[in-house]
Amino acid sequence: ASERAVRVRLADAPVVHLATHGIAYGSRARARQSFVALAPGDTLGGRPLDGRLTVATILDEVPAVGAELVVLSACQTG
């Protein structure tokens, strides 16, 4: 899935299940940089997307997630 496709669908999805590569940083200073990896290459609002859906992006840019169930499964998440 591309980062763009996931970001566009998050607000309306009844279930979100992402099983992908990712990194979860343990320090408070880097926590917002934690990410799940998606396909890069698209643009959104004229900005190129690198495929890293970060905690900061979800908190600051993505409309509220209304899903009843969210599963995030990734390697290197501690």
Side-chain angles (χ1 to χ4, degrees):
S2 71
E3 180 183 356
R4 183 181 192 288
V6 171
R7 288 174 67 165
V8 167
R9 290 177 175 91
L10 274 177
D12 297 324
V15 174
V16 177
H17 185 132
L18 298 174
T20 182
H21 177 72
I23 300 286
Y25 296 107
S27 72
R28 177 174 233 150
R30 294 197 67 195
R32 290 174 57 88
Q33 296 171 351
S34 299
F35 67 90
V36 293
L38 301 165
D42 283 337
T43 60
L44 188 63
R47 275 188 345 206
L49 300 174
D50 64 4
R52 293 182 178 193
L53 184 59
T54 65
V55 170
T57 297
I58 292 170
L59 293 175
D60 299 340
E61 298 178 26
V62 174
V65 176
E68 292 184 32
L69 176 65
V70 177
V71 177
L72 300 176
S73 176
C75 60
Q76 298 186 17
T77 57

